Amino acid sequence: MVYIFGNWKCNPTNLKKAKEIFYTIEKNFKGNKKVNVAVFPPFVFLNSLNSEKVKKGAQDVFWEKQGAFTGEISPLMLKDAGCRYCLVGHSERRYIIGENNEIIEKKLRSCLENKIVPILCFGEREKVSFGKVKIEIKEQLKFLINYKSFKNVILAYEPVFSIGTGLVCDTSHINDVLNFLKNELNIKYKVLYGGSLNSKNCQEILEKCDINGFLVGGASLKTREFLKIIEIAEKYAKSKEK
Ligand code: PGA
């Protein structure tokens, strides 16, 4: 199974456009047992976008179920809006909003308790030596190490210098990170790659890295581009069947 997940971030600015993007993908994606397609739109659009084939996720969640928490969205609300997935710890929330590991762990636990699959994002902030990368990643994934109860988490490796910059990460570096995870974590998690992913670079990553799919940002808002990535993933999954 190849996962193709689209993180819309704070886009688009109106429901009409959100529907246009969502239903263009929905119409053109035939549905396929080998490729799992999901999009992560802003909260306000979630209830208006529905499909059997294209799944939905949220970009964030609060850890309590309900109550006096002004501005927050609870996991029960996400379930009610049809979300199967939720991003947790995206670098834009870590470094722009200021979320720390303590908050991220609460959100992760809340997703799991409420049967939402969390996509835990992690990745180094800058291009530094691999020794430093390991320290940074280990800190971000601290609470996964030694916990068996976290087995339903999907990881998304997103080096910050690759996000939205056009500088896709080297496949050899992705592989170093994947090997590091294999050694450090006692569960084999599914791992997605994210960061300037597009239809031109996705094939090489699928072929050279033992990756389960992608978390696509900018390219997920361009329907033709996103559909092309899905098509490449479908072909790749099919070739693996033989
Ligand atoms: P990008 O974003 O594909 O636009 O680089 C990826 C992400 O932030 O999830």
Side-chain angles (χ1 to χ4, degrees):
M1 170 74 79
V2 183
Y3 293 73
I4 306 294
F5 285 1
N7 173 13
W8 289 9
K9 310 191 180 192
C10 190
N11 301 291
T13 53
N14 59 74
L15 180 60
K16 186 168 177 273
K17 184 75 191 151
K19 281 186 170 171
E20 215 174 282
I21 298 169
F22 186 84
Y23 289 107
T24 303
I25 295 163
E26 136 80 20
K27 202 172 79 199
N28 289 284
F29 172 54
K30 301 281 170 280
N32 183 323
K33 287 204 173 73
K34 297 281 168 219
V35 181
N36 184 345
V37 175
V39 296
F40 295 69
F43 291 132
V44 288
F45 302 142
L46 283 170
N47 271 315
S48 307
L49 310 174
N50 294 296
S51 161
E52 297 275 307
K53 296 175 288 181
V54 179
K55 299 181 183 77
K56 278 188 300 189
Q59 298 174 20
D60 186 30
V61 66
F62 187 57
W63 54 84
E64 296 289 350
K65 289 190 169 112
Q66 66 181 108
F69 307 106
T70 303
E72 295 297 340
I73 304 288
S74 90
L76 296 185
M77 295 169 191
L78 295 186
K79 285 228 76 145
D80 187 61
C83 289
R84 182 177 296 209
Y85 303 104
C86 183
L87 303 182
V88 176
H90 189 279
S91 61
E92 284 147 20
R93 297 208 60 83
R94 287 179 196 265
Y95 307 121
I96 299 172
I97 313 295
E99 275 186 17
N100 59 24
N101 277 337
E102 201 183 318
I103 290 174
I104 292 165
E105 182 176 355
K106 280 191 200 171
K107 293 185 173 184
L108 194 83
R109 287 181 184 278
S110 169
C111 283
L112 293 171
E113 274 161 26
N114 292 287
K115 309 252 175 312
I116 292 172
V117 177
I119 317 300
L120 176 61
C121 305
F122 71 99
E124 70 273 27
R125 239 182 136 165
E126 279 163 27
K127 279 196 179 208
V128 285
S129 70
F130 197 61
K132 286 190 178 153
V133 171
K134 286 196 277 193
I135 296 170
E136 200 171 337
I137 290 179
K138 213 167 164 176
E139 181 62 26
Q140 290 172 331
L141 300 181
K142 196 163 58 181
F143 44 85
L144 288 186
I145 298 169
N146 300 325
Y147 279 98
K148 290 220 162 56
S149 58
F150 282 130
K151 68 177 187 306
N152 291 326
V153 176
I154 296 177
L155 300 179
Y157 172 55
E158 300 203 306
V160 178
F161 55 80
S162 284
I163 297 181
T165 56
L167 301 170
V168 70
C169 190
D170 291 348
T171 51
S172 66
H173 184 75
I174 298 174
N175 278 329
D176 286 345
V177 170
L178 293 174
N179 282 330
F180 175 66
L181 297 181
K182 223 180 270 171
N183 294 335
E184 290 295 321
L185 305 171
N186 56 17
I187 299 172
K188 185 163 177 7
Y189 291 94
K190 292 189 176 75
V191 188
L192 314 182
Y193 166 78
S196 297
L197 198 284
N198 60 38
S199 65
K200 292 196 177 68
N201 56 34
C202 63
Q203 176 118 20
E204 186 187 355
I205 300 176
L206 281 174
E207 280 168 3
K208 294 191 179 163
C209 306
D210 184 17
I211 202 91
N212 297 95
F214 302 116
L215 182 55
V216 188
S220 72
L221 291 156
K222 299 178 193 145
T223 48
R224 225 193 276 168
E225 183 66 5
F226 194 58
L227 286 163
K228 222 187 245 178
I229 295 169
I230 295 171
E231 198 186 310
I232 291 167
E234 284 175 330
K235 282 196 185 134
Y236 175 79
K238 219 167 171 193
S239 75
K240 284 274 142 187
E241 261 177 15
K242 288 174 199 155

Coordinates of all heavy atoms in Angstrom, one line a residue, residues 5 36 38-40 52 55-58 78-79 81-86 111 114-119:
F5 N -0.8 11.4 0.8 CA -1.6 12.3 1.6 C -1.3 13.8 1.3 O -0.1 14.1 1.1 CB -1.2 12.1 3.1 CG -1.8 10.8 3.7 CD1 -2.5 9.9 3.0 CD2 -1.5 10.5 5.0 CE1 -3.1 8.8 3.5 CE2 -2.1 9.3 5.6 CZ -2.8 8.5 4.8
N36 N -3.6 4.6 -1.0 CA -4.5 5.2 0.0 C -4.3 6.7 -0.2 O -3.3 7.3 0.1 CB -4.1 4.7 1.4 CG -5.0 5.2 2.4 OD1 -5.8 6.1 2.2 ND2 -4.9 4.6 3.6
A38 N -5.6 10.5 0.8 CA -6.3 11.3 1.8 C -5.9 12.8 1.7 O -4.7 13.0 1.3 CB -6.0 10.8 3.2
V39 N -6.8 13.7 2.0 CA -6.4 15.1 2.0 C -6.7 15.6 3.4 O -7.6 15.2 4.1 CB -7.1 15.9 0.9 CG1 -6.7 15.5 -0.5 CG2 -8.6 15.9 1.1
F40 N -5.9 16.7 3.7 CA -6.0 17.3 5.0 C -6.4 18.8 4.8 O -5.5 19.7 4.8 CB -4.7 17.2 5.7 CG -4.3 15.7 6.1 CD1 -4.0 14.8 5.0 CD2 -4.3 15.3 7.4 CE1 -3.7 13.5 5.3 CE2 -4.0 14.0 7.7 CZ -3.7 13.1 6.7
E52 N -16.1 8.4 -0.7 CA -15.8 7.0 -0.3 C -14.3 6.7 -0.6 O -13.7 5.9 0.1 CB -16.7 6.0 -1.1 CG -18.1 6.2 -0.9 CD -18.6 5.4 0.4 OE1 -18.3 4.2 0.4 OE2 -19.2 6.0 1.2
K55 N -10.0 9.8 1.4 CA -10.2 9.9 2.8 C -9.8 11.3 3.3 O -9.2 12.1 2.6 CB -9.4 8.9 3.5 CG -9.8 7.5 3.1 CD -9.1 6.4 3.8 CE -9.5 5.1 3.2 NZ -8.9 4.8 1.9
K56 N -10.2 11.6 4.6 CA -10.0 12.9 5.1 C -9.2 12.9 6.4 O -9.3 12.0 7.2 CB -11.3 13.6 5.4 CG -12.0 14.2 4.3 CD -13.2 15.0 4.7 CE -14.3 14.2 5.4 NZ -15.5 14.9 5.7
G57 N -8.4 13.9 6.6 CA -7.7 14.1 7.8 C -7.7 15.5 8.2 O -8.0 16.4 7.4
A58 N -7.4 15.8 9.5 CA -7.3 17.2 10.0 C -5.8 17.6 10.1 O -4.9 16.7 10.2 CB -8.0 17.3 11.3
L78 N -13.6 15.9 15.1 CA -13.0 15.5 13.9 C -13.6 14.1 13.4 O -13.8 13.9 12.2 CB -11.5 15.3 14.1 CG -10.7 16.5 14.4 CD1 -9.2 16.2 14.5 CD2 -10.9 17.6 13.4
K79 N -13.9 13.3 14.4 CA -14.5 12.0 14.0 C -15.9 12.3 13.4 O -16.2 11.7 12.4 CB -14.7 11.1 15.3 CG -13.4 10.5 15.8 CD -13.6 9.1 16.1 CE -13.6 8.3 14.8 NZ -13.0 7.0 14.8
A81 N -16.8 14.8 11.8 CA -16.6 15.4 10.5 C -16.0 14.3 9.5 O -15.7 14.7 8.3 CB -15.8 16.6 10.6
G82 N -15.9 13.1 9.9 CA -15.4 12.1 9.0 C -13.9 11.9 8.8 O -13.5 11.3 7.9
C83 N -13.2 12.4 9.8 CA -11.7 12.3 9.7 C -11.2 11.0 10.2 O -11.5 10.6 11.3 CB -11.0 13.4 10.5 SG -11.2 15.0 9.8
R84 N -10.4 10.4 9.4 CA -9.7 9.1 9.8 C -8.3 9.4 10.3 O -7.8 8.7 11.1 CB -9.6 8.2 8.5 CG -9.0 6.9 8.8 CD -9.0 6.0 7.6 NE -10.3 5.7 7.2 CZ -10.6 4.6 6.5 NH1 -9.7 3.7 6.3 NH2 -11.9 4.4 6.1
Y85 N -7.7 10.5 9.8 CA -6.3 10.8 10.2 C -6.2 12.2 10.8 O -7.1 13.1 10.6 CB -5.5 10.8 8.9 CG -5.5 9.5 8.2 CD1 -6.3 9.4 7.0 CD2 -4.8 8.4 8.6 CE1 -6.3 8.2 6.3 CE2 -4.8 7.2 7.9 CZ -5.6 7.1 6.8 OH -5.6 5.9 6.1
C86 N -5.1 12.5 11.4 CA -4.8 13.8 11.9 C -3.3 14.1 11.9 O -2.5 13.2 12.4 CB -5.4 14.1 13.3 SG -5.1 15.7 13.9
C111 N -5.5 11.4 19.9 CA -5.9 10.8 18.6 C -6.0 9.3 18.8 O -7.1 8.7 18.4 CB -4.8 11.0 17.5 SG -4.8 12.6 16.8
N114 N -9.1 8.2 20.7 CA -10.3 8.4 20.0 C -10.3 7.8 18.6 O -11.2 8.2 17.7 CB -10.6 10.0 19.9 CG -10.9 10.5 21.3 OD1 -11.9 10.3 21.8 ND2 -9.9 11.2 21.9
K115 N -9.4 6.9 18.4 CA -9.4 6.1 17.1 C -9.2 6.9 15.8 O -9.9 6.7 14.8 CB -10.7 5.2 17.0 CG -11.0 4.4 18.2 CD -10.7 2.9 17.9 CE -10.9 2.0 19.1 NZ -10.2 2.4 20.4
I116 N -8.4 7.9 16.0 CA -7.9 8.7 14.8 C -6.5 8.3 14.6 O -5.7 8.3 15.6 CB -8.1 10.2 15.1 CG1 -9.6 10.6 15.2 CG2 -7.4 11.0 14.0 CD1 -9.8 12.0 15.6
V117 N -6.1 8.0 13.4 CA -4.7 7.7 13.1 C -3.8 8.9 13.1 O -4.0 9.8 12.2 CB -4.5 6.9 11.8 CG1 -3.1 6.6 11.6 CG2 -5.4 5.6 11.9
P118 N -2.9 9.1 14.0 CA -2.1 10.3 13.9 C -0.9 10.2 13.0 O -0.3 9.1 12.9 CB -1.5 10.5 15.4 CG -1.6 9.1 16.0 CD -2.6 8.3 15.2
I119 N -0.6 11.2 12.2 CA 0.5 11.3 11.3 C 1.5 12.1 12.1 O 1.4 13.4 12.1 CB 0.2 11.9 10.0 CG1 -1.1 11.4 9.4 CG2 1.4 11.7 9.0 CD1 -1.3 9.9 9.2

